[in-house]
Amino acid sequence: MRLDNGNVKHQHPCFSGEAHLNRGRIHLPVSPACNIQCRFCKRSITKTGPERYEQRPGFSGELLRPEEALDVVRRALDLCPEITVVGIAGPGDTLATYHALETFDRIHQAYPELIKCLSTNGLLLEPYVDDLFRVGVRTLTVTVNGVYPGILEQICSQVIFQGVRYKGREGAALLIEAQKRGIRKAAARGILVKINIVLIPGINRDHIAEIARTVKTLGAGIINIIPLIPQQEPAAFTVAPDCTELSDARETAERYLPVFRHCQHCRADAAGIPGQPDLSPLLYEYQAWEQTFSHG
Ligand code: CLF
Ligand code: SF4
């Protein structure tokens, strides 16, 4: 099957309202580290047994290794032949380490017909667009929670770029500009770009129109608004948006771009048709990630 844009959209459960009912995805949790710190992010890995490891930006731990991924995909396709998409969405940032690119390279050689889908915070997207295209990535998600540094600094506390730590507004500005360059280049390369926005009441609720307008000018094709999954702390992140806030945000974004409304807030190791029983317990030895935040 040749994967042109129309075909990709039609076959992808997260880019088409139709396909989400009958097409599946397998997430490969190969990306251990992150290069920014979102204030709401709490990644953790729990192996069976008493061990428990917290993950923070820059921390690297062993998850699924790129060389193990092909076997997981083979088994997933046996269990669920409706799978059309191989996604890498975490649990850290997918471009903070080389693991996602290496994994896609292996999968693309064995299964060129499967759609490769990457989700990233976008900090390192621009320099990797050509490499991503080469290893078969045709759909991409970038999480854009703010396009003004004064707003994004309330959500993202620091950015680590080329070995230097940037805090507060300086880091936020750097991330915004990197995301813009990356989205523009990816869209121009022919990759379908979805924008995820984590809706955080009190911080970016009134900023949705500006985000949507900005990403549309960069070439993004669809928006997915993800309600914040409330955390214990800090205080600004303890309250999830209610149904009205979510619905208003979607309507606002829809003035600029189509909005995907079937998101299942998948974990980094989700498998199967979204909304149907998750197959990951049959594929992975351990259940690795808490349902805290999805990069999908
Ligand atoms: Fe995975 Fe995300 Fe690709 Fe889909 S999920 S990397 S675009 S293959 Fe889909 Fe899951 Fe929602 Fe994401 S339902 S969290 S939108
Ligand atoms: Fe990194 Fe994603 Fe967590 Fe943000 S939400 S700190 S991008 S892993």
Side-chain angles (χ1 to χ4, degrees):
M1 175 175 68
R2 190 175 175 279
L3 291 177
D4 58 49
N5 270 0
N7 203 0
V8 166
K9 224 184 236 177
H10 188 64
Q11 298 287 326
H12 197 307
C14 313
F15 282 73
S16 142
E18 249 171 66
H20 95 277
L21 294 170
N22 52 24
R23 297 286 190 267
R25 51 41 183 141
I26 163 87
H27 279 177
L28 301 169
V30 296
S31 301
C34 192
N35 42 20
I36 71 173
Q37 179 63 69
C38 301
R39 295 178 196 268
F40 56 75
C41 175
K42 177 172 165 280
R43 282 166 295 137
S44 49
I45 302 174
T46 311
K47 295 193 177 183
T48 48
E51 287 175 280
R52 186 178 174 83
Y53 303 96
E54 286 291 320
Q55 292 232 146
R56 292 290 170 245
F59 181 88
S60 178
E62 191 178 359
L63 306 167
L64 184 68
R65 294 195 297 270
E67 60 271 26
E68 297 168 327
L70 198 53
D71 181 54
V72 172
V73 172
R74 260 190 215 113
R75 289 189 287 124
L77 288 169
D78 284 346
L79 288 167
C80 180
E82 294 87 357
I83 286 175
T84 51
V85 179
V86 177
I88 302 183
D93 184 65
T94 53
L95 295 175
T97 55
Y98 66 89
H99 302 198
L101 271 168
E102 185 186 335
T103 303
F104 277 140
D105 200 6
R106 291 167 183 265
I107 305 292
H108 194 47
Q109 288 179 39
Y111 295 102
E113 74 283 8
L114 291 177
I115 299 165
K116 287 49 182 208
C117 184
L118 182 102
S119 182
T120 174
N121 62 34
L123 180 66
L124 296 179
L125 177 56
E126 187 200 14
Y128 284 118
V129 165
D130 291 333
D131 287 332
L132 289 168
F133 196 87
R134 178 179 53 77
V135 299
V137 172
R138 296 295 179 270
T139 57
L140 176 77
T141 296
V142 184
T143 301
V144 179
N145 294 327
V147 290
Y148 293 163
I151 291 179
L152 190 62
E153 73 171 326
Q154 298 172 57
I155 302 170
C156 174
S157 59
Q158 67 173 25
V159 168
I160 297 170
F161 185 66
Q162 295 178 343
V164 180
R165 186 184 307 264
Y166 299 89
K167 293 194 167 187
R169 197 164 292 207
E170 192 184 11
L174 194 154
L175 178 59
I176 291 166
E177 290 310 311
Q179 290 177 327
K180 285 183 182 172
R181 290 194 302 274
I183 293 166
R184 188 183 288 118
K185 185 169 174 183
R189 192 73 180 80
I191 296 174
L192 293 176
V193 181
K194 171 162 71 63
I195 303 298
N196 277 2
I197 305 172
V198 181
L199 179 62
I200 307 165
I203 299 185
N204 67 0
R205 194 190 66 178
D206 298 326
H207 189 47
I208 301 299
E210 198 51 35
I211 297 174
R213 190 191 64 73
T214 303
V215 299
K216 181 181 180 178
T217 65
L218 300 170
I222 189 166
I223 289 177
N224 177 25
I225 308 227
I226 301 178
L228 174 76
I229 297 173
Q231 307 289 317
Q232 302 287 343
E233 54 183 354
F237 302 96
T238 53
V239 181
D242 61 30
C243 291
T244 309
E245 287 173 312
L246 183 57
S247 159
D248 287 351
R250 286 174 168 160
E251 278 175 28
T252 300
E254 214 156 37
R255 297 207 300 263
Y256 300 88
L257 283 171
V259 169
F260 179 65
R261 291 168 187 266
H262 306 282
C263 180
Q264 300 295 318
H265 314 143
C266 311
R267 295 156 38 124
D269 58 357
I273 298 173
Q276 295 194 14
D278 184 38
L279 302 174
S280 61
L282 304 173
L283 294 168
Y284 298 110
E285 274 175 35
Y286 51 88
Q287 284 290 281
W289 292 274
E290 284 185 357
Q291 182 86 26
T292 53
F293 172 73
S294 162
H295 271 269

